[in-house]
Amino acid sequence: MNQDELKIPSITAIKNLLEPIYERLDKIESKIIHSNNTDKQRYYRNEDLKKIFGLSNNTIIKYRETGILPYTKLGDIYLYEAPKIEQLLRNNSVEL
């Protein structure tokens, strides 16, 4: 074979090269998902509550003022801890 000739690898050879890469990517993805769920405190903002739960501005304000909705105020920004909101939803769940 001449040096100028190109040798094309087989599909099996390519799969064997890619398999360790796929395994490492799976491990990285798993670590990212795990760290996002446990390491970081999640918060909702007013816009999140409106989009996710369909609440209006007035309802959010009313729930804050009446103590229904626990919050933290940082300057002019209201933050709502996701675990507290999830607990609030569980506590108010209605079984039929």
Side-chain angles (χ1 to χ4, degrees):
M1 183 175 358
N2 197 351
Q3 277 187 336
D4 295 335
E5 291 182 35
L6 179 66
K7 184 177 178 185
I8 299 175
S10 69
I11 292 176
T12 305
I14 293 172
K15 284 182 181 179
N16 290 339
L17 287 172
L18 292 176
E19 189 60 36
I21 296 170
Y22 288 139
E23 288 175 11
R24 289 188 70 196
L25 287 173
D26 285 341
K27 287 179 185 177
I28 292 169
E29 181 182 36
S30 147
K31 286 180 181 180
I32 290 171
I33 290 170
H34 180 70
S35 70
N36 283 344
N37 290 337
T38 58
D39 294 345
K40 198 195 251 185
Q41 180 70 44
R42 295 176 300 142
Y43 291 91
Y44 293 121
R45 296 175 80 169
N46 285 342
E47 291 302 314
D48 300 321
L49 296 179
K50 290 191 276 186
K51 287 179 189 173
I52 296 169
F53 303 109
L55 299 174
S56 69
N57 280 331
N58 289 338
T59 301
I60 294 170
I61 292 167
K62 181 173 93 175
Y63 286 175
R64 273 197 322 253
E65 290 175 350
T66 58
I68 293 172
L69 191 59
Y71 67 93
T72 300
K73 187 173 180 187
L74 201 60
D76 291 337
I77 300 171
Y78 291 92
L79 300 171
Y80 310 92
E81 290 182 39
K84 287 184 180 180
I85 301 300
E86 291 161 6
Q87 184 64 44
L88 180 67
L89 291 171
R90 280 191 296 279
N91 291 346
N92 289 288
S93 176
V94 176
E95 298 290 328
L96 298 178

